[in-house]
Amino acid sequence: MKEKDDDAAPGGLTRRQLLGSSAALLVGASGAAKGLTFQGTPEWKPFDNVAVEPVDTDTAWQFFTDEEAATVEAIVERLIPADDLSMSGKEAGCAVFIDRQLAGAYGGYERLYMHGPFQDGTPEQGDQSALTPKQRYRLGLGALNDHCRNEHGAVFAELSEEQRDQLLAQLEQEEIQLDDIDTQLFFELVLTNTMEGFFADPIYGGNRDMVSWKMLGFPGARYDYRNYVERHNEDLGFEPVSIGGRPDWQTQG
Amino acid sequence: MKTLMGVTLALVPLAGWAASTEYQDIERGRYISVLGDCAACHTVNDDQPFAGGVPLETPFGTLVAPNITPDATTGLGRWDYEDFKAAMTEGVGKGGYHLYPAMPYPSYTLMNEEDIHDLWSFLQTVTPVENAIEANQLPFPFSIRSVMMGWNWLNFDERSFEPDPEQSDEINRGAYLVEGLGHCGTCHTPRNFMGGAGGDKFAGATIEGWYAPDITPNAHVGIGGWSEDELVEYLQTGGNRYGFASGPMADEVHHSSQHWTEDDLYAVARYLLSGAGLESSDWDHAPPEPLPEDNPQVTAGSHIYFDRCSGCHTPNGGGEEGIFPQLASNPLVNGDNTTSLIRVVLAGSRPVATDAKPTAPAMPSFAWNLNDEEIASVLTFVRNSWGNAAPAVSAGEVADMREELRGD
């Protein structure tokens, strides 16, 4: 059996060497760091807030062309169909939600690092595409309608519910290969964004009248549940509340 | 050995000073300056105490508190004691010009000779700062200082403090502090149309866009429901279970009352809570009936309160000791004057941080989230729940305040 040096750290350094070098590193780092020291109370300004401007759902499409918008509405209407539980994704405003998101910072992936080199990467590394959400929708919706025109002689929005369901299933199973864009990349983005629109706060344009929250019994944008945290398996009677409020906030009569 | 030497060396000059009455006078004078809260108006920058420059917004225009350091050209360097005493007790500056009563000489006139003397001794030891201040920035005709002659004739009596022989020494000390040095009525007593002290002493008044609340012993709208300990806690630490000092009162606690002696604070509390100095008919009014629960504003407000306020102030208005004020049975909530209530909901508020309570827990702004009607409703609900009872708040009042604060 080989004799083992207890003090050896990976790479052959002794523990003491390692400690010594990390200490030196810390000293060096603290010397170079531009630290900020806060004393007293943090700054406070009147009217300070992180307000979100509610989406105006009545204005024209901000990003989509009319054909694109009709296509997205025809998609979200089938991804979340109207049934006993809720209205459809179209009625809930999912297309409006996606349109406003694409017109904003999300559309250009402004908070992500979007410069090359772009490589395929491993599955664990996630999305490595150079395409922004705007580009994915523009290319994907165009390619989908090209496919529909070639195969069915009509754009997606003009097809029957059954045809649309079948096409969406084919996209999901990658049985269709769209031109210009990876089918899976496009379909998964649309599916994700549709769910986001259905469940996000109504001020972002979807989840109209808090329909999904009512369906789930989610109480909405509330702050503190200390008085309820020990109460299990009972209906607490919370009406869902949006960041923008709820109908009961208005004086009646 | 080294330490011992240091201690000895440090003690020698101190012992020398302690023997000097002048040193004691100056140190007393320093405390008088704290009691009188001179710094509130005369200190902008803590590095240059008493160099003046705090703008005071009055209904008549802006006044800027002057430099009272001993600087010869821009401060009081050429004044003597008699000049200073005339300013404090008569409202007349060196050379005979009239001060504006934003300088609370109508209160300081009650100061005794010893206190004025010691205050003057202290002010002469302050580092002189060259800082020229144009105190008078009032529009015509208020800019004419001799206007104050007529004002004084109508609104001011030069007088000295007369202890009430019926009352304890402690209450008399409280009276001297409240009526004189502490000049509480300057903010808490409504002004008449000339800006002089009107009737309704201590009944509360609007000052610089805040409500200086009722400090009479009325339990519903005043401080009659507070214990002496709670009042002392407020003045000493900046807050108690009913609220935290904000706006101009935050400055007062920061510069002044947090540094008062416990004896002086209890004297003030006992005097104010006893109502000595007031006629009971002035403050002993029955509270109104609360608005009913089915009042539309109360109903809507109850939902807004539950969704947006109860997380901190708790569903029953009880608050959390030391951080979230209780709203139940809170006189600050019940006052007729809603200026501060609307203001803190709209703009939020960061109260005073004191040595005793350094956290200064802030109220967030709701201006972005609640419209005028919603703020009016939630305030109307709070003002008529859990023992509170007060008139409804209108959306128009909120709109006016929103415009006023946004216009700053």
Side-chain angles (χ1 to χ4, degrees):
Chain A
M1 191 174 159
K2 201 182 166 199
E3 198 180 315
K4 198 178 166 200
D5 180 1
D6 276 350
D7 274 353
L13 278 169
T14 67
R15 198 179 294 166
R16 193 161 298 158
Q17 281 170 335
L18 187 68
L19 283 174
S21 61
S22 356
L25 191 71
L26 279 176
V27 170
S30 66
K34 286 184 180 169
L36 290 174
T37 306
F38 291 97
Q39 284 185 322
T41 45
E43 190 196 10
W44 182 89
K45 288 180 295 201
F47 292 101
D48 211 10
N49 59 64
V50 283
V52 218
E53 273 299 306
V55 156
D56 184 349
T57 53
D58 294 332
T59 57
W61 300 103
Q62 307 283 298
F63 171 74
F64 291 137
T65 64
D66 286 345
E67 184 182 294
E68 286 169 343
T71 310
V72 172
E73 289 197 311
I75 294 173
V76 300
E77 190 177 27
R78 294 317 300 162
L79 289 177
I80 302 176
D83 59 14
D84 297 345
L85 294 172
S86 77
M87 61 177 76
S88 73
K90 177 184 170 183
E91 290 169 296
C94 293
V96 176
F97 168 88
I98 295 170
D99 177 68
R100 303 305 195 267
Q101 288 296 312
L102 292 176
Y106 173 78
Y109 267 164
E110 284 175 26
R111 68 178 194 87
L112 298 186
Y113 181 83
M114 288 297 286
H115 302 282
F118 295 100
Q119 294 168 351
D120 286 346
T122 65
E124 292 76 19
Q125 288 169 325
D127 188 347
Q128 298 293 317
S129 168
L131 298 174
T132 63
K134 280 183 182 180
Q135 293 167 323
R136 294 179 198 195
Y137 274 89
R138 189 124 291 159
L139 294 173
L141 294 170
L144 176 62
N145 277 332
D146 286 346
H147 172 85
C148 293
R149 280 191 202 94
N150 291 337
E151 298 291 323
H152 304 282
V155 292
F156 185 84
E158 292 163 356
L159 302 179
S160 70
E161 289 183 356
E162 290 72 24
Q163 286 174 306
R164 283 186 274 156
D165 287 354
Q166 193 191 358
L167 275 163
L168 291 170
Q170 286 173 323
L171 287 174
E172 186 172 30
Q173 303 301 322
E174 293 186 82
E175 289 163 12
I176 301 171
Q177 296 305 320
L178 295 175
D179 293 337
D180 307 326
I181 187 166
D182 179 75
T183 304
Q184 194 186 11
L185 193 69
F186 171 67
F187 180 80
E188 286 190 354
L189 186 69
V190 176
L191 180 60
T192 302
N193 291 160
T194 302
M195 291 191 283
E196 288 166 348
F198 194 66
F199 292 109
D201 195 288
I203 66 164
Y204 301 107
N207 192 7
R208 185 156 62 83
D209 300 334
M210 298 178 274
V211 55
S212 67
W213 295 357
K214 286 175 184 162
M215 180 180 84
L216 296 174
F218 176 63
R222 296 176 185 279
Y223 171 62
D224 181 31
Y225 293 96
R226 276 172 304 163
N227 289 327
Y228 309 95
V229 76
E230 309 238 322
R231 290 165 61 177
H232 303 290
N233 302 318
E234 66 174 297
D235 184 355
L236 297 171
F238 287 130
E239 283 291 317
V241 60
S242 158
I243 292 169
R246 61 183 167 111
D248 282 343
W249 285 15
Q250 307 312 313
T251 49
Q252 312 295 321
Chain B
M1 192 61 207
K2 218 173 184 179
T3 322
L4 198 63
M5 281 282 288
V7 169
T8 321
L9 284 173
L11 280 174
V12 169
L14 272 177
W17 281 3
S20 141
T21 41
E22 197 190 344
Y23 176 76
Q24 287 172 332
D25 291 353
I26 291 166
E27 282 306 297
R28 257 195 104 252
R30 183 196 306 279
Y31 182 61
I32 301 295
S33 80
V34 169
L35 291 176
D37 198 8
C38 311
C41 297
H42 293 284
T43 300
V44 169
N45 175 351
D46 284 339
D47 296 335
Q48 297 189 331
F50 307 111
V54 178
L56 299 166
E57 290 152 31
T58 77
F60 307 98
T62 301
L63 288 160
V64 181
N67 180 349
I68 56 169
T69 68
D71 183 64
T73 48
T74 63
L76 303 184
R78 297 208 173 101
W79 287 37
D80 62 21
Y81 174 64
E82 291 303 321
D83 296 328
F84 181 67
K85 188 180 167 190
M88 294 296 286
T89 61
E90 297 168 39
V92 175
K94 182 181 175 66
Y97 67 88
H98 283 270
L99 304 184
Y100 290 96
M103 162 70 181
Y105 64 85
S107 300
Y108 293 157
T109 188
L110 295 175
M111 285 173 69
N112 63 41
E113 181 89 26
E114 186 192 5
D115 284 355
I116 299 174
H117 170 268
D118 292 349
L119 178 57
W120 178 241
S121 302
F122 164 66
L123 283 177
Q124 286 177 291
T125 69
V126 168
T127 308
V129 177
E130 193 178 333
N131 184 28
I133 302 277
E134 182 48 64
N136 181 357
Q137 301 186 5
L138 297 179
F140 182 82
F142 307 118
S143 54
I144 303 173
R145 285 183 178 271
S146 52
V147 165
M148 298 319 299
M149 290 169 74
W151 189 93
N152 283 338
W153 186 69
L154 291 165
N155 293 291
F156 171 62
D157 294 310
E158 186 192 350
R159 60 209 164 100
S160 48
F161 179 71
E162 299 296 340
D164 181 348
E166 304 279 301
Q167 300 283 5
S168 66
D169 287 351
E170 193 184 24
I171 291 215
N172 275 312
R173 173 67 179 167
Y176 178 75
L177 291 168
V178 167
E179 308 285 348
L181 267 172
H183 62 283
C184 308
T186 306
C187 296
H188 290 278
T189 295
R191 306 282 99 188
N192 63 23
F193 71 97
M194 289 176 287
D200 298 331
K201 184 175 168 185
F202 297 155
T206 304
I207 176 115
E208 292 178 20
W210 291 86
Y211 176 54
D214 185 316
I215 53 169
T216 70
N218 184 300
H220 190 66
V221 293
I223 53 177
W226 294 17
S227 66
E228 284 176 14
D229 288 344
E230 284 168 343
L231 184 48
V232 169
E233 182 189 3
Y234 187 91
L235 295 169
Q236 190 169 46
T237 70
N240 62 18
R241 63 195 176 110
Y242 296 103
F244 294 89
S246 299
M249 191 65 188
D251 291 337
E252 188 285 322
V253 172
H254 172 70
H255 289 295
S256 183
S257 62
Q258 71 164 324
H259 304 297
W260 292 26
T261 65
E262 199 127 289
D263 283 350
D264 278 347
L265 290 170
Y266 273 98
V268 163
R270 200 152 291 183
Y271 174 68
L272 285 175
L273 293 174
S274 72
L278 293 170
E279 297 296 330
S280 66
S281 58
D282 289 343
W283 56 264
D284 199 5
H285 321 293
E289 285 295 313
L291 296 172
E293 279 177 31
D294 61 0
N295 172 292
Q297 274 190 295
V298 173
T299 306
S302 73
H303 296 299
I304 300 168
Y305 181 84
F306 186 74
D307 294 344
R308 284 292 175 269
C309 316
S310 69
C312 292
H313 292 283
T314 74
N316 64 4
E320 285 292 342
E321 177 83 46
I323 180 153
F324 305 128
Q326 79 170 52
L327 301 176
S329 301
N330 189 332
L332 304 168
V333 167
N334 284 320
D336 281 349
N337 187 318
T338 54
T339 307
S340 293
L341 293 179
I342 296 172
R343 182 181 185 129
V344 298
V345 174
L346 273 173
S349 175
R350 157 63 60 72
V352 66
T354 57
D355 296 345
K357 290 181 182 167
T359 304
M363 163 94 175
S365 162
F366 285 89
W368 67 279
N369 191 232
L370 300 176
N371 63 30
D372 297 337
E373 195 187 318
E374 288 160 352
I375 289 177
S377 293
V378 76
L379 286 175
T380 300
F381 166 74
V382 168
R383 280 159 64 80
N384 290 280
S385 302
W386 325 297
N388 295 327
V393 177
S394 74
E397 290 173 73
V398 182
D400 290 347
M401 176 65 79
R402 194 186 285 265
E403 198 184 326
E404 185 186 328
L405 292 175
R406 282 298 195 188
D408 279 356

